[in-house]
Amino acid sequence: MARKKVSWIPQVGIVATYIGRAGRLARGGYNVRIVAETCANRMVVEAIGRSGAPVRFTVKRENLAPLQPGLFD
């Protein structure tokens, strides 16, 4: 019997890593700030866009991971 994977539940206001399937993003992930939680296990996040301005978009919660230890220590 397979066990269900325990997913990480991010809190609003923290910095996380977005690991999406799009090839345009960086291979190691994209650092984003959690802005709000929406329906259907999705989160509104904010990141720095190509022009340097903040951009908000919606991602699935399963594609978010905690930051690596020591990244902003």
Side-chain angles (χ1 to χ4, degrees):
M1 198 176 239
R3 295 186 111 187
K4 188 174 182 178
K5 182 180 154 186
V6 177
S7 65
W8 175 68
I9 300 174
Q11 301 295 321
V12 174
I14 66 168
V15 178
T17 301
Y18 170 63
I19 304 170
R21 289 186 257 166
R24 295 184 307 235
L25 294 176
R27 288 193 185 271
Y30 204 77
N31 292 334
V32 296
R33 184 173 60 91
I34 310 296
V35 176
E37 185 174 357
T38 63
C39 60
N41 287 330
R42 295 182 185 268
M43 307 291 278
V44 176
V45 298
E46 185 175 63
I48 303 300
R50 291 182 182 172
S51 64
V55 179
R56 288 186 178 188
F57 51 97
T58 306
V59 298
K60 289 183 180 178
R61 188 172 69 190
E62 64 191 33
N63 292 332
L64 292 172
L67 287 177
Q68 297 176 356
L71 186 59
F72 289 109
D73 288 341

